[in-house]
Amino acid sequence: MDLALLRRLTTGEGWGLLQSLPPYEESGALALQQRLRGAGFDPDLVAAALNQARLRARAVEKFGEFARGMVLTSDGLEQATRLGVAAQHAQRYRAAGIHTVHDLGCGIGADAMAMAGLDLRVRAIDADELTAGIAAVNLRHWPDSTAQQGVVEEFTAPAGEGGRGVGAWLDPARRTPGVADVTGRTRRIFNLAEISPSWTTVQEVARALPATGAKLSPAFPHAALPAGSEAQWTSWEGDVVECAVWWGPLVRTAGRSAALLRATGPAVVVTEADMDGDAPPLVNLADLGGWLYEPDKAVLRAGLVGALTAATDGAELDAGVGYVGSSRSVDVPFARRYAVVEAMPFNVKALRGWLRDHGIDRLTIKKRGVSVDADLLRRQLRLPAKGHQEATVVLTRVRSNQVALIVNPA
């Protein structure tokens, strides 16, 4: 889609056509396309409208009912912040007394919409003219907010009184330009020096406008966090979706934090203050205890496993693996709990014998900190093809030695 087609699609006949389409169904798309073309609609307009209908159907999972009124691109949808996470971003600015946010690299406008929805005035820019045009369409319900083509490197922050109550939000591009594989996806970038705008530019904006936030990769290195700032790793339904860095009045707790978000229920936030010093790892397998805890991935990424050992009076099985063993059964809102049925040094023959002796014929394999090939192990265990007795085996390390833990979810 180009700018001319975007304008046709979002005005007059094109918008009417798009809004009149039934819920998208792949099986009926070809027949619908032929019927619309037979009714006299331009083929390019029909193709663009049907593509939007398909993308809107996919976008419902991220944006809910808002998706049905948005204009989207495939890449923009994949990279956009989901509504529940964007709302958390917007609330930071609102709580800090910010009235205007410069969204520098707005994409299709997901964060800008969430901010505008909280009565913040948004001034959004994107380097790509078509993407900025799409964001402008998505912001149409909020006339005080705008989106236009522009590059972050040319942004001049308001100074003095003009900067009071003004903040910035950045979402640097973290993919290489060009097509990298047969799926059309480009390579992800994890090096801060390669993101666009650069990490240096992001920090320059933060110095000019203290109320600045930036959406970065979950692989953000802890050592790169500027003094006095906050890096918050966020998970949605257990999957880590971002690390956002916050400066100035947007900081709630300086240092590293983790936010666990779900479609229902309140957010759970874990900070460095929840840790009780550096708990030593488990001394040996015999001291594991009767319970195994697995922290949410955001907690693990944020390096806050110490909060889990503190909450359970437990010990991490080995440095960096995340799993915590304890003799206490505790409900922890940021971890899953398992009852330990058996713990043994990892050995395929011994594990196969234990599973056979206990009638296990269905197996869930979890692993962290070991290089075991789960598919190969499953073949080596030679479990019956169809079974009814299920178990979960956790493959990990204790004092650098591979171990197998048979556990049941508690």
Side-chain angles (χ1 to χ4, degrees):
M1 184 164 58
D2 57 21
L3 274 173
L5 185 54
L6 173 64
R7 294 191 183 99
R8 290 180 61 201
L9 184 65
T10 55
T11 57
E13 180 186 53
W15 189 249
L17 170 62
L18 178 57
Q19 297 302 90
S20 69
L21 292 178
Y24 185 81
E25 293 184 6
E26 187 67 38
S27 60
L30 181 58
L32 179 58
Q33 181 182 48
Q34 293 172 341
R35 187 163 65 251
L36 292 171
R37 292 175 65 171
F41 288 102
D42 178 77
D44 289 343
L45 196 60
V46 170
L50 287 176
N51 184 51
Q52 286 301 309
R54 179 170 56 250
L55 290 172
R56 285 176 169 182
R58 284 173 46 195
V60 169
E61 192 271 332
K62 261 193 175 183
F63 302 121
E65 290 301 312
F66 284 99
R68 306 192 189 283
M70 295 176 68
V71 177
L72 305 155
T73 65
S74 182
D75 285 346
L77 173 57
E78 180 183 352
Q79 297 166 23
T81 307
R82 71 169 52 250
L83 181 61
V85 179
Q88 296 290 319
H89 299 159
Q91 287 168 9
R92 286 231 186 198
Y93 291 95
R94 181 68 181 272
I98 304 302
H99 57 71
T100 300
V101 180
H102 290 272
D103 188 346
L104 308 177
C106 62
I108 61 174
D111 276 292
M113 290 172 63
M115 293 173 190
L118 285 186
D119 295 326
L120 300 172
R121 183 171 56 186
V122 181
R123 295 290 178 262
I125 62 171
D126 196 274
D128 181 73
E129 190 174 14
L130 175 62
T131 302
I134 289 173
V137 173
N138 291 335
L139 282 169
R140 67 190 182 279
H141 297 299
W142 300 279
D144 286 343
S145 294
T146 62
Q148 60 187 16
Q149 192 273 335
V151 295
V152 179
E153 289 77 9
E154 296 177 0
F155 169 71
T156 300
E161 282 299 313
R164 189 181 299 277
V166 179
W169 171 250
L170 299 98
D171 184 358
R174 296 185 298 280
R175 285 188 179 273
T176 56
V179 176
D181 57 31
V182 294
T183 69
R185 294 186 177 185
T186 52
R187 180 178 62 84
R188 289 185 183 274
I189 293 173
F190 298 100
N191 189 335
L192 283 176
E194 298 178 9
I195 62 176
S196 179
S198 69
W199 178 234
T200 298
T201 299
V202 171
Q203 293 180 90
E204 288 173 352
V205 172
R207 283 191 288 271
L209 279 177
T212 289
K215 176 182 173 181
L216 301 167
S217 164
F220 178 78
H222 296 179
L225 181 62
S229 301
E230 177 184 0
Q232 184 168 88
W233 281 259
T234 297
S235 66
W236 178 266
E237 300 290 358
D239 291 326
V240 184
V241 294
E242 69 175 27
C243 172
V245 176
W246 305 98
W247 285 264
L250 302 177
V251 173
R252 290 175 177 164
T253 305
R256 292 172 281 113
S257 65
L260 287 58
L261 306 181
R262 301 176 179 87
T264 58
V268 175
V269 177
V270 183
T271 71
E272 291 182 60
D274 296 312
M275 298 197 297
D276 187 16
D278 295 325
L282 203 66
V283 174
N284 56 61
L285 189 56
D287 294 333
L288 174 64
W291 302 94
L292 182 75
Y293 295 85
E294 180 182 20
D296 183 272
K297 294 175 183 176
V299 174
L300 192 60
R301 284 279 195 173
L304 300 175
V305 175
L308 182 54
T309 60
T312 61
D313 291 331
E316 189 174 11
L317 271 62
D318 206 356
V321 300
Y323 289 116
V324 169
S326 174
S327 59
R328 295 182 60 206
S329 175
V330 184
D331 290 329
V332 181
F334 53 89
R336 295 186 65 186
R337 182 179 65 217
Y338 300 87
V340 178
V341 178
E342 183 65 56
M344 64 180 77
F346 175 60
N347 176 280
V348 174
K349 184 177 180 180
L351 179 59
R352 182 170 59 231
W354 191 96
L355 296 173
R356 182 187 62 245
D357 292 345
H358 290 79
I360 304 299
D361 40 26
R362 285 189 300 160
L363 193 64
T364 297
I365 299 175
K366 301 171 69 69
K367 64 189 185 78
R368 186 178 298 146
V370 297
S371 58
V372 176
D373 184 319
D375 291 332
L376 175 60
L377 174 61
R378 195 178 296 276
R379 292 194 297 270
Q380 291 173 330
L381 293 175
R382 299 196 294 270
L383 297 176
K386 294 182 180 180
H388 306 283
Q389 190 69 25
E390 186 173 5
T392 298
V393 62
V394 176
L395 305 177
T396 186
R397 302 189 316 261
V398 172
R399 295 188 68 82
S400 300
N401 297 311
Q402 293 185 350
V403 299
L405 313 175
I406 294 87
V407 299
N408 287 328

